[in-house]
Amino acid sequence: MEALTSSSTSIRSQSRAADMPSDDTLLGLFAQGDAAAARILTDRLGPRCLSVAMRMLGNRAEAEDVTQDAMMRLWKVAPDWVSGQAKVSTWLYRVTMNLCVDHLRKNKPDRLADVPEPEDGSPSVADRMQDEARKDALQLALEQLPERQRQAVILRHIEELPNPEIAGVMGISVEAVESLTARGKRALAGILAGRREELGYDDDRR
Amino acid sequence: MTMTEDEKNLDEMFATARENRPLLSDDLTVRILTDAEQVRLNQIKAADRPRRSYWARVLDGIGGWHSFGGLVAASAAGVWIGFAAPDFLPDPATYIYQQEAGLALADLDTSFLEGAE
């Protein structure tokens, strides 16, 4: 692993002098056996996967597993990747989103409210409650949105992807993306407004 | 369309969320790069495989050197039996030749002999 790190720094300093190689080029280099390319791709794309997964799942450990899984799929697809056909990041966002959705569906009955007793090996209710408490208001509101709206809002407003790219990630039209983000944002504002009143935040404000 | 107070708050929340996007932990980076390394080594191994010689691959096809020895012995026995058949086996060459001769006689048209008498 040490050799891997040092060789990647040399590539990185070279590439800073010239133009940064595209994700496409790096994936091609990795397929040809270049280990340093994997390091740069991880630095570049790993945090994006993690960010999306954290907002989709609201849990760091699960989001890390999803990120590792998504990146694994990237390494495996490298030899068959057709350069210029699709954006690597779009493909990876799509894979990450699908993994998150699978994860949410699999773990649905396992969520805090539905679990009467802690089982052996699973996080205790106290741990789960602490997890919940650590979430910011935005996260709690996002988790109340329907899946597709949540995806669209995260990609648009947290990842700041342009609508055509979101359309590519979600496999829908640009119009559908616009409608989902608009409805999602309205719903979020409503949830947060309700929550503020419920928590008495309004009294504290001026 | 003017922005409502709630929407303005929401935009502030998005901005905060963008600033606080999570970073990869060292542990996760190592996990991801270990996967990459494993995939890379497997791919190199897979790419090396077809580089073996033609004869090595032919031998693999028929089951390695061991089977090849058996194949050679069986073929040699077959050639020898064809060349000099042991007494207890009918000689295939003579058998075929006799059959052909018999057929040739049976098919012979002898009607012209009857007319001459």
Side-chain angles (χ1 to χ4, degrees):
Chain A
M1 196 55 68
E2 252 175 1
L4 211 136
T5 321
S6 62
S7 61
S8 82
T9 21
S10 69
I11 274 213
R12 230 181 304 171
S13 48
Q14 278 169 17
S15 56
R16 216 171 268 148
D19 275 346
M20 282 295 270
S22 67
D23 296 345
D24 229 52
T25 310
L26 288 168
L27 200 56
L29 285 172
F30 173 74
Q32 287 163 32
D34 185 340
R39 174 82 212 202
I40 305 175
L41 283 170
T42 303
D43 287 348
R44 211 183 266 180
L45 301 174
R48 299 203 211 171
C49 290
L50 184 64
S51 163
V52 163
M54 285 272 280
R55 287 296 173 185
M56 281 299 287
L57 303 173
N59 176 298
R60 174 111 201 177
E62 288 173 6
E64 290 199 340
D65 288 349
V66 162
T67 303
Q68 185 183 4
D69 201 351
M71 292 301 288
M72 182 58 145
R73 284 164 199 238
L74 181 68
W75 308 137
K76 284 187 175 165
V77 85
D80 305 319
W81 187 264
V82 183
S83 182
Q85 203 178 47
K87 245 176 110 177
V88 177
S89 58
T90 307
W91 181 89
L92 196 59
Y93 273 126
R94 191 184 186 127
V95 168
T96 308
M97 278 299 185
N98 289 342
L99 288 170
C100 287
V101 170
D102 285 350
H103 210 87
L104 286 171
R105 289 186 189 158
K106 227 188 298 164
N107 295 350
K108 217 170 198 171
D110 214 8
R111 292 206 112 40
L112 182 66
D114 308 323
V115 178
E117 287 166 42
E119 290 161 33
D120 282 344
S122 69
S124 72
V125 170
D127 284 344
R128 280 164 177 274
M129 282 174 75
Q130 214 171 14
D131 267 353
E132 294 291 311
R134 243 180 257 135
K135 288 175 184 173
D136 53 26
L138 178 62
Q139 185 60 36
L140 292 170
L142 276 172
E143 286 177 21
Q144 290 179 54
L145 286 189
E147 235 165 59
R148 301 295 274 174
Q149 285 184 25
R150 199 192 313 178
Q151 290 183 26
V153 166
I154 291 170
L155 293 171
R156 180 79 197 92
H157 295 290
I158 299 181
E159 294 306 305
E160 295 190 294
L161 297 190
N163 284 345
E165 191 173 352
I166 300 175
V169 172
M170 296 182 66
I172 53 177
S173 69
V174 175
E175 292 74 34
V177 172
E178 284 164 2
S179 149
L180 276 176
T181 43
R183 276 186 290 149
K185 219 179 149 183
R186 227 179 299 133
L188 270 183
I191 294 165
L192 288 163
R195 195 176 160 74
R196 233 190 0 255
E197 280 155 29
E198 169 194 317
L199 295 175
Y201 282 180
D202 275 345
D203 300 338
D204 298 338
R205 289 175 147 245
R206 270 152 278 180
Chain B
M1 195 182 105
T2 55
M3 216 184 241
T4 66
E5 179 80 359
D6 288 331
E7 279 173 337
K8 216 187 287 169
N9 284 331
L10 191 55
D11 282 337
E12 281 168 21
M13 283 178 158
F14 285 139
T16 314
R18 285 196 294 269
E19 281 161 24
N20 296 312
R21 265 183 286 205
L23 298 171
L24 293 191
S25 63
D26 288 347
D27 169 64
L28 181 58
T29 306
V30 169
R31 272 158 65 191
I32 292 172
L33 289 177
T34 308
D35 284 346
E37 194 56 13
Q38 208 171 358
V39 170
R40 194 180 70 91
L41 293 176
N42 284 342
Q43 277 163 4
I44 291 172
K45 237 187 273 172
D48 275 347
R49 225 167 280 146
R51 269 187 230 146
R52 301 186 59 206
S53 75
Y54 173 76
W55 286 111
R57 275 179 285 143
V58 166
L59 274 177
D60 281 351
I62 59 169
W65 276 113
H66 199 72
S67 314
F68 187 65
L71 194 67
V72 167
S75 308
V79 168
W80 180 249
I81 288 166
F83 191 68
D87 290 341
F88 62 85
L89 281 178
D91 183 352
T94 4
Y95 181 69
I96 292 165
Y97 182 73
Q98 279 174 348
Q99 280 252 315
E100 273 175 7
L103 276 172
L105 279 175
D107 288 349
L108 205 62
D109 185 1
T110 52
S111 55
F112 68 94
L113 292 175
E114 283 160 27
E117 268 177 71

